[in-house]
Amino acid sequence: MRIWAATRDMNRILSETVMDFAPAKNEDDWNRVIGELCRELDLSRPLILKKHLNELNHFRHTTFLPSDFMESVSFNKFTVQLFPEKKNSDKRS
């Protein structure tokens, strides 16, 4: 799965990254994915709540607010969005 993560201040993107991961199937997988995204963006890791997991699994995106981080942050939102998987069609001529 391909994931886009970005930090935002109001509607302006401050930093962003796109990374590929194996599909996340459980909470441990999501913790690993979010941890790697945060490491890439040089962020502290947010608390991942059941709300975030539900949004990722049902809506393919979630938003972390400054209150989700243990340390103070310099942005208003940390967004994580999953890109849809491209299905390879096996077309034969």
Side-chain angles (χ1 to χ4, degrees):
M1 73 182 160
R2 181 166 277 200
I3 298 179
W4 174 54
T7 58
R8 299 169 183 264
D9 185 21
M10 302 307 273
N11 290 325
R12 191 176 63 136
I13 295 174
L14 301 175
S15 62
E16 64 183 331
T17 189
V18 175
M19 296 178 73
D20 290 312
F21 297 95
K25 296 180 176 147
N26 56 43
E27 188 174 344
D28 289 336
D29 290 346
W30 282 116
N31 276 316
R32 180 185 50 78
V33 167
I34 299 298
E36 288 185 37
L37 290 167
C38 288
R39 194 170 15 264
E40 180 71 20
L41 293 170
D42 195 27
L43 301 176
S44 64
R45 198 166 161 165
L47 296 173
I48 303 172
L49 306 175
K50 190 167 200 144
K51 163 198 155 344
H52 299 120
L53 296 173
N54 287 336
E55 289 174 350
L56 285 166
N57 289 322
H58 291 105
F59 307 115
R60 304 183 61 81
H61 67 86
T62 194
T63 300
F64 295 92
L65 301 175
S67 60
D68 295 319
F69 290 83
M70 298 292 279
E71 299 174 9
S72 64
V73 294
S74 60
F75 51 84
N76 293 341
K77 293 179 186 177
F78 171 54
T79 58
V80 176
Q81 183 172 350
L82 284 67
F83 288 118
E85 292 289 322
K86 290 184 181 180
K87 301 203 178 193
N88 293 335
S89 57
D90 195 37
K91 295 183 181 179
R92 297 180 185 183
S93 303

